[in-house]
Coordinates of all heavy atoms in Angstrom, one line a residue:
G1665 N 46.3 -47.0 -84.0 CA 47.1 -47.1 -85.2 C 46.2 -47.5 -86.3 O 45.4 -48.4 -86.2
T1666 N 46.4 -46.7 -87.5 CA 45.5 -47.0 -88.6 C 46.4 -47.0 -89.9 O 47.5 -46.4 -89.9 CB 44.4 -46.0 -88.8 OG1 45.0 -44.7 -89.1 CG2 43.5 -45.9 -87.6
F1667 N 45.9 -47.6 -91.0 CA 46.5 -47.4 -92.3 C 46.3 -45.9 -92.6 O 45.5 -45.2 -92.0 CB 45.9 -48.3 -93.3 CG 46.4 -49.7 -93.2 CD1 45.5 -50.7 -92.8 CD2 47.7 -50.1 -93.6 CE1 45.9 -52.1 -92.7 CE2 48.1 -51.4 -93.5 CZ 47.2 -52.4 -93.0
W1668 N 47.1 -45.4 -93.6 CA 47.0 -44.0 -93.8 C 46.8 -43.6 -95.3 O 47.1 -42.5 -95.7 CB 48.3 -43.3 -93.2 CG 48.1 -41.9 -93.0 CD1 48.8 -40.8 -93.6 CD2 47.2 -41.3 -92.0 NE1 48.3 -39.6 -93.0 CE2 47.4 -39.9 -92.1 CE3 46.3 -41.8 -91.1 CZ2 46.6 -39.0 -91.3 CZ3 45.5 -41.0 -90.3 CH2 45.7 -39.6 -90.4
S1669 N 46.2 -44.5 -96.1 CA 45.8 -44.0 -97.4 C 44.3 -43.7 -97.2 O 43.4 -44.4 -97.5 CB 45.9 -45.2 -98.4 OG 45.5 -44.8 -99.6
V1670 N 44.1 -42.4 -96.7 CA 42.7 -42.0 -96.2 C 42.0 -41.3 -97.4 O 42.5 -40.4 -98.0 CB 42.9 -41.1 -95.0 CG1 41.5 -40.8 -94.5 CG2 43.8 -41.6 -93.9
R1671 N 40.7 -41.7 -97.5 CA 39.8 -41.0 -98.4 C 39.0 -40.0 -97.6 O 38.0 -40.3 -97.0 CB 38.9 -41.9 -99.2 CG 39.7 -43.0 -100.0 CD 38.8 -43.9 -100.7 NE 38.1 -43.3 -101.8 CZ 37.4 -43.9 -102.7 NH1 37.2 -45.2 -102.6 NH2 36.7 -43.2 -103.7
W1672 N 39.6 -38.8 -97.5 CA 39.0 -37.8 -96.5 C 37.7 -37.3 -97.0 O 37.5 -37.0 -98.2 CB 40.0 -36.6 -96.3 CG 41.3 -37.0 -95.7 CD1 42.5 -37.1 -96.3 CD2 41.4 -37.3 -94.3 NE1 43.4 -37.4 -95.3 CE2 42.8 -37.6 -94.1 CE3 40.6 -37.3 -93.2 CZ2 43.4 -37.9 -92.9 CZ3 41.1 -37.7 -91.9 CH2 42.5 -37.9 -91.8
S1673 N 36.8 -37.1 -96.0 CA 35.6 -36.3 -96.2 C 35.8 -35.0 -95.4 O 36.9 -34.8 -94.9 CB 34.3 -37.0 -95.7 OG 34.1 -38.2 -96.4
S1674 N 34.8 -34.1 -95.3 CA 35.0 -32.9 -94.6 C 33.8 -32.6 -93.7 O 32.7 -33.1 -93.9 CB 35.2 -31.7 -95.5 OG 34.1 -31.5 -96.3
L1675 N 34.1 -32.0 -92.6 CA 33.1 -31.7 -91.6 C 33.6 -30.4 -90.8 O 34.7 -30.4 -90.3 CB 32.9 -32.8 -90.6 CG 31.9 -32.7 -89.5 CD1 30.5 -32.7 -90.0 CD2 32.1 -33.7 -88.4
N1676 N 32.7 -29.4 -90.7 CA 33.0 -28.2 -89.9 C 34.4 -27.6 -90.3 O 35.1 -27.1 -89.4 CB 33.1 -28.6 -88.4 CG 32.0 -28.0 -87.6 OD1 31.1 -27.4 -88.1 ND2 32.1 -28.0 -86.3
G1677 N 34.7 -27.7 -91.6 CA 36.0 -27.1 -92.0 C 37.2 -27.9 -91.7 O 38.3 -27.5 -91.9
R1678 N 37.0 -29.2 -91.3 CA 38.1 -30.0 -90.9 C 38.0 -31.4 -91.7 O 36.9 -31.7 -92.2 CB 38.2 -30.3 -89.4 CG 38.7 -29.1 -88.6 CD 39.0 -29.5 -87.2 NE 39.6 -28.4 -86.5 CZ 40.9 -28.2 -86.5 NH1 41.8 -29.0 -87.1 NH2 41.4 -27.1 -85.9
R1679 N 39.1 -32.1 -91.7 CA 39.1 -33.4 -92.4 C 38.3 -34.4 -91.5 O 38.4 -34.4 -90.3 CB 40.5 -33.9 -92.6 CG 41.3 -33.0 -93.6 CD 42.5 -33.7 -94.1 NE 43.5 -33.9 -93.0 CZ 44.7 -34.5 -93.2 NH1 45.0 -35.0 -94.4 NH2 45.5 -34.7 -92.2
L1680 N 37.6 -35.2 -92.2 CA 36.8 -36.3 -91.5 C 37.2 -37.6 -92.1 O 37.1 -37.9 -93.3 CB 35.3 -36.0 -91.8 CG 34.3 -37.2 -91.5 CD1 34.3 -37.5 -90.0 CD2 32.9 -36.9 -92.0
M1681 N 37.6 -38.5 -91.2 CA 37.8 -39.9 -91.5 C 36.5 -40.7 -91.3 O 36.1 -41.0 -90.2 CB 38.9 -40.6 -90.7 CG 39.3 -42.0 -91.1 SD 40.6 -42.8 -90.1 CE 42.1 -41.8 -90.5
D1682 N 35.8 -40.9 -92.4 CA 34.5 -41.5 -92.3 C 34.5 -43.0 -92.7 O 33.6 -43.7 -92.3 CB 33.5 -40.7 -93.3 CG 32.0 -41.1 -93.0 OD1 31.7 -41.4 -91.9 OD2 31.3 -41.1 -94.0
T1683 N 35.5 -43.4 -93.4 CA 35.7 -44.8 -93.7 C 37.1 -45.2 -93.3 O 38.1 -44.5 -93.6 CB 35.5 -45.0 -95.2 OG1 34.2 -44.6 -95.6 CG2 35.7 -46.5 -95.6
L1684 N 37.3 -46.3 -92.7 CA 38.6 -46.8 -92.2 C 39.5 -47.1 -93.4 O 39.1 -47.9 -94.2 CB 38.4 -48.0 -91.3 CG 39.7 -48.4 -90.6 CD1 40.1 -47.4 -89.5 CD2 39.5 -49.8 -89.9
P1685 N 40.7 -46.5 -93.5 CA 41.6 -46.9 -94.5 C 42.1 -48.3 -94.3 O 42.3 -48.8 -93.2 CB 42.7 -45.8 -94.4 CG 42.7 -45.3 -93.0 CD 41.2 -45.4 -92.6
T1686 N 42.4 -49.0 -95.4 CA 42.9 -50.4 -95.4 C 44.2 -50.6 -96.0 O 44.6 -51.7 -96.3 CB 41.8 -51.3 -96.0 OG1 41.5 -50.9 -97.3 CG2 40.5 -51.2 -95.2
S1687 N 44.9 -49.5 -96.4 CA 46.2 -49.7 -97.1 C 46.9 -48.4 -96.9 O 46.4 -47.4 -96.4 CB 46.0 -50.0 -98.6 OG 45.4 -48.9 -99.2
G1688 N 48.2 -48.4 -97.3 CA 49.0 -47.2 -97.4 C 49.9 -46.9 -96.3 O 50.2 -45.7 -95.9
G1689 N 50.5 -47.9 -95.6 CA 51.4 -47.7 -94.5 C 50.6 -47.4 -93.2 O 49.4 -47.3 -93.3
G1690 N 51.3 -47.1 -92.1 CA 50.6 -46.9 -90.9 C 50.9 -45.6 -90.3 O 52.0 -45.0 -90.5
H1691 N 50.0 -45.1 -89.4 CA 50.1 -43.9 -88.7 C 49.5 -43.9 -87.4 O 48.4 -44.5 -87.2 CB 49.5 -42.7 -89.6 CG 49.7 -41.4 -89.0 ND1 50.9 -40.9 -88.6 CD2 48.8 -40.3 -88.8 CE1 50.8 -39.6 -88.2 NE2 49.5 -39.3 -88.3
A1692 N 50.1 -43.3 -86.4 CA 49.6 -43.3 -85.0 C 49.0 -42.0 -84.7 O 49.6 -40.9 -85.0 CB 50.7 -43.6 -84.0
T1693 N 47.8 -42.0 -84.1 CA 47.1 -40.7 -83.6 C 46.5 -41.0 -82.3 O 46.4 -42.1 -81.8 CB 46.1 -40.2 -84.7 OG1 45.2 -41.3 -85.0 CG2 46.8 -39.7 -86.0
E1694 N 45.9 -40.0 -81.7 CA 45.3 -40.1 -80.4 C 43.9 -39.5 -80.3 O 43.7 -38.3 -80.6 CB 46.2 -39.4 -79.4 CG 46.0 -39.9 -77.9 CD 46.7 -41.2 -77.6 OE1 47.4 -41.7 -78.5 OE2 46.6 -41.6 -76.4
I1695 N 42.9 -40.3 -79.9 CA 41.6 -39.8 -79.7 C 41.6 -39.1 -78.3 O 41.8 -39.7 -77.3 CB 40.6 -40.9 -79.7 CG1 40.6 -41.7 -81.0 CG2 39.1 -40.4 -79.4 CD1 39.8 -43.0 -81.0
I1696 N 41.3 -37.8 -78.3 CA 41.4 -37.0 -77.1 C 40.1 -36.3 -76.7 O 39.9 -35.8 -75.6 CB 42.5 -36.0 -77.1 CG1 42.3 -34.9 -78.2 CG2 43.9 -36.7 -77.3 CD1 43.2 -33.7 -78.0
W1697 N 39.1 -36.3 -77.6 CA 37.9 -35.5 -77.3 C 36.8 -35.9 -78.3 O 37.0 -36.8 -79.2 CB 38.2 -34.0 -77.4 CG 37.1 -33.1 -76.8 CD1 36.4 -32.2 -77.4 CD2 36.7 -33.1 -75.4 NE1 35.5 -31.5 -76.5 CE2 35.7 -32.1 -75.3 CE3 37.1 -33.8 -74.3 CZ2 35.1 -31.8 -74.1 CZ3 36.5 -33.5 -73.1 CH2 35.5 -32.5 -73.0
A1698 N 35.6 -35.3 -78.2 CA 34.5 -35.6 -79.1 C 33.6 -34.3 -79.2 O 33.5 -33.6 -78.2 CB 33.7 -36.7 -78.6
E1699 N 33.0 -34.1 -80.3 CA 32.1 -33.0 -80.5 C 30.8 -33.4 -81.1 O 30.8 -34.4 -81.9 CB 32.8 -31.9 -81.4 CG 33.9 -31.2 -80.7 CD 34.4 -30.0 -81.5 OE1 34.3 -30.0 -82.7 OE2 35.0 -29.1 -80.9
H1700 N 29.8 -32.7 -80.8 CA 28.5 -33.0 -81.4 C 28.2 -32.0 -82.5 O 28.1 -30.8 -82.3 CB 27.4 -32.8 -80.3 CG 26.1 -33.5 -80.6 ND1 24.9 -32.8 -81.0 CD2 25.8 -34.8 -80.6 CE1 24.0 -33.7 -81.2 NE2 24.4 -34.9 -81.0
V1701 N 28.2 -32.6 -83.7 CA 28.1 -31.7 -84.9 C 27.0 -32.2 -85.8 O 26.9 -33.4 -86.1 CB 29.5 -31.8 -85.7 CG1 29.4 -30.8 -86.9 CG2 30.6 -31.4 -84.9
Q1702 N 26.1 -31.3 -86.1 CA 25.0 -31.6 -87.0 C 24.2 -32.8 -86.6 O 23.8 -33.7 -87.3 CB 25.5 -31.8 -88.5 CG 26.2 -30.6 -89.0 CD 26.8 -30.8 -90.4 OE1 26.6 -31.8 -91.0 NE2 27.5 -29.8 -90.9
G1703 N 24.0 -32.9 -85.2 CA 23.2 -34.0 -84.7 C 23.8 -35.3 -84.4 O 23.2 -36.2 -84.0
R1704 N 25.2 -35.3 -84.6 CA 25.9 -36.6 -84.4 C 27.2 -36.3 -83.6 O 27.8 -35.3 -83.7 CB 26.2 -37.3 -85.7 CG 25.0 -37.7 -86.5 CD 25.5 -38.5 -87.8 NE 24.3 -38.9 -88.5 CZ 24.4 -39.6 -89.7 NH1 25.6 -39.9 -90.2 NH2 23.3 -40.0 -90.3

Side-chain angles (χ1 to χ4, degrees):
T1666 64
F1667 286 110
W1668 201 244
S1669 180
V1670 187
R1671 302 182 68 175
W1672 295 105
S1673 300
S1674 62
L1675 178 73
N1676 244 13
R1678 287 194 173 268
R1679 295 194 295 179
L1680 165 65
M1681 187 184 287
D1682 192 34
T1683 302
L1684 187 70
T1686 57
S1687 63
H1691 185 48
T1693 54
E1694 199 82 1
I1695 301 169
I1696 64 167
W1697 194 242
E1699 289 188 335
H1700 200 252
V1701 183
Q1702 299 174 8
R1704 295 183 179 181

